[in-house]
Amino acid sequence: MELKEKLLSSYVAFENGLNVNSDIHDIRTKALQEFEKLGFPTKKLEAWKYTSLNSVLKEDYSLFPDHDIAIELADVKKYFIHDIDSYKIIFIDGKYSSFLSETTHDGMDVCLLSAALSKPKYKPVIENYFNKIAKQDNLTSLNTAFATEGAFIHIPRNVEVEKPIQIINFTTGKEDATMVQPRNLVVAERNAHVQIIERHQSLTDNPVLTNVVTEIFTDTHSTVDYYKIQNDNDNASLVDNTYIEQQSESVCSVHTFSFGGNITRNNLNFYQKGERIDSILKGITIIEGKQHVDHHTLVHHIEPNCESHQDYKGIYGGRSTGVFNGKVIVEKEAQKTNAYQQNNNVLISDKATINAKPQLEIFADDVKCSHGCTIGQLDEQALFYMQQRGIPKKEARALLMYAFANTVLESVKIPEVKKRINKLIANKLGVNIGFDL
């Protein structure tokens, strides 16, 4: 049975086991109908022209693992940013792990989406925010139809969360192949401030497919810093759909660090619904072998006097493939917009590929917008210069690539995250650099 038919045929039994209100039921049903009509995306769609899921979809995935597996902290501690105090929302094969987690309801809600969907006290937040900005496309609709669990983060007005929140989804490999569909909802009310770190990690050599959807709402004067660390096993594929709605004078930044996995597709969408908004999208990709990473971004400028800043760097080795498809839309009313988009790539193998498509759609006449894309190799003269001063070629190449990525790392606000990313970059480049950028 093909995966689409397997999903459709299992839906009734799936929802019968849930405790959700009628409104959520209607949302699920409509989403399933949309997925049934659209199916999985193919390369015939312009947005998926360079990314095929055929090899991923052929697996016979277990859709709803019903086992309980205990994981020892010592076995997974290395995947945490463990040198900081943080709240933690941890899932194992799609199920919440209370043993590894640290949640709170003290002045804010850092807890589970399943509780928010089923308990009356959360109903106002769910009615106002759940599934309000997520697109009705193929994989987002599929997630909406089957979403049961994920992170629910609600920060009331004037609350600054004192420590970061880590969201980690572990997959154990108890099944021959596993598909999980986490759903996260983040609401930062007026003048709130929160930092979030998200990771999906397979602990198995068995195939894993993760289809995650995250909705983020930033109210007036609020600040959200979101960090995605993607360094999974070669058998794990990820489709990450993130939708962000910003109100006036809010700041939202998303940093995406893609270092591992089989196929990784990042759909990142910003919608500006007020004035003096700042949207920041930055990413570093370092892959090799036959790995494939696709960044698909959208920033929609709707109101005047707003800014957006995109900076994506990619280093590609082996037979790896990178894709960058970035779009900035500036509506007629969005005068005085300042939008910057840059995508720079280095190919360190003759067989690596990058497909880049930066796009601007501008309907206003008083704006400052720019975009650019470069694809090249390391500067041989710079390498020669460094070797002449006693730096071995391998270390010299690594130093150049560190410098290449530094414009992204310098805006990371959590020192421990920057330190972890530095180590991951060094590991990917196969060197030991004795300093932090």
Side-chain angles (χ1 to χ4, degrees), residues 223-345:
T223 301
V224 174
D225 296 318
Y226 208 101
Y227 301 94
K228 298 175 181 287
I229 300 176
Q230 301 169 345
N231 189 33
D232 215 337
N233 297 337
D234 288 343
N235 56 317
S237 295
L238 170 68
V239 179
D240 188 321
N241 307 280
T242 302
Y243 302 93
I244 298 165
E245 180 180 292
Q246 293 184 251
Q247 299 298 327
S248 296
E249 301 183 54
S250 64
V251 179
C252 184
S253 66
V254 177
H255 290 70
T256 305
F257 302 105
S258 301
F259 301 138
N262 176 20
I263 294 175
T264 302
R265 166 75 175 221
N266 290 299
N267 298 316
L268 182 56
N269 305 273
F270 278 75
Y271 304 99
Q272 297 185 339
K273 298 291 184 70
E275 295 191 38
R276 293 176 293 280
I277 291 171
D278 193 5
S279 303
I280 301 164
L281 304 76
K282 294 195 175 188
I284 298 175
T285 300
I286 305 177
I287 55 174
E288 57 192 354
K290 295 182 179 181
Q291 294 176 320
H292 182 110
V293 172
D294 182 346
H295 294 288
H296 208 90
T297 69
L298 167 68
V299 180
H300 194 171
H301 291 271
I302 303 171
E303 302 288 341
N305 303 305
C306 293
E307 296 188 13
S308 66
H309 187 282
Q310 298 187 57
D311 189 5
Y312 282 79
K313 301 293 181 71
I315 300 173
Y316 302 93
R319 295 177 177 269
S320 63
T321 300
V323 182
F324 176 79
N325 192 327
K327 179 181 287 189
V328 176
I329 301 175
V330 182
E331 297 291 355
K332 184 178 180 180
E333 296 79 10
Q335 304 292 343
K336 303 293 184 181
T337 290
N338 183 1
Y340 171 85
Q341 182 189 88
Q342 187 68 33
N343 173 229
N344 302 110
N345 306 283

Side-chain angles (χ1 to χ4, degrees), residues 344-382:
N344 302 110
N345 306 283
V346 173
L347 301 179
I348 57 176
S349 167
D350 293 339
K351 296 181 180 179
T353 303
I354 175 69
N355 300 287
K357 187 180 179 182
Q359 304 173 70
L360 293 177
E361 293 184 11
I362 303 173
F363 302 98
D365 53 15
D366 186 10
V367 300
K368 182 180 179 181
C369 298
S370 64
H371 67 171
C373 174
T374 63
I375 301 172
Q377 298 176 323
L378 292 177
D379 188 336
E380 292 296 332
Q381 288 187 342

Side-chain angles (χ1 to χ4, degrees), residues 41 48 100 136 147 151 207 261 270 350:
W48 289 82
L100 295 175
Q136 303 305 308
F270 278 75
D350 293 339

Side-chain angles (χ1 to χ4, degrees), residues 198-214:
E198 179 185 9
R199 182 165 188 161
H200 303 270
Q201 187 64 49
S202 172
L203 306 175
T204 175
D205 291 330
N206 295 339
V208 175
L209 174 59
T210 300
N211 176 37
V212 57
V213 173
T214 301

